[in-house]
Amino acid sequence: MNNTIHNQLQVWNIPLSVEESALEPMVKILTEEEKKNAAQFKFDKHRRRYIVSHAVMRTILADQLQIPIEQLVISTLEKRKPYIP
């Protein structure tokens, strides 16, 4: 990995409100667990935001780590705090 990545702070502004048709390709990026979590939201607005935020997070991290998105593993600590093993 390029050491310059460790010395950078990147801030991303991602709109979380998207049309239903834009969600389909994003859902394909999610893991089965993330899809299950998304399905548990009571309100559609929250389900959409979860899908968009997780798909974008996976896309950005895979790009920054220079690995295929399918190989990206994100685990969680207590209180569901994400980390990359």
Side-chain angles (χ1 to χ4, degrees):
M1 182 187 299
N2 187 338
N3 285 335
T4 59
I5 291 175
H6 297 289
N7 298 325
Q8 293 180 4
L9 172 65
Q10 296 183 8
V11 178
W12 295 76
N13 183 11
I14 309 298
L16 297 179
S17 297
V18 299
E19 296 294 323
E20 188 71 30
S21 60
L23 289 179
E24 185 177 334
M26 293 182 182
V27 169
K28 292 178 182 179
I29 293 173
L30 302 181
T31 65
E32 290 304 315
E33 182 177 347
E34 287 170 320
K35 290 175 189 176
K36 189 170 106 177
N37 290 340
Q40 293 178 4
F41 282 96
K42 181 177 181 179
F43 299 107
D44 190 55
K45 173 182 175 179
H46 297 144
R47 179 186 64 83
R48 289 180 186 201
R49 288 180 176 183
Y50 179 91
I51 291 169
V52 172
S53 64
H54 282 251
V56 170
M57 175 182 64
R58 290 186 158 283
T59 303
I60 292 170
L61 288 172
D63 182 62
Q64 292 295 309
L65 295 170
Q66 300 175 355
I67 61 173
I69 201 164
E70 303 82 28
Q71 292 180 8
L72 179 65
V73 176
I74 301 174
S75 298
T76 55
L77 298 170
E78 60 184 70
K79 297 186 182 180
R80 300 174 62 151
K81 299 293 181 186
Y83 75 99
I84 300 173

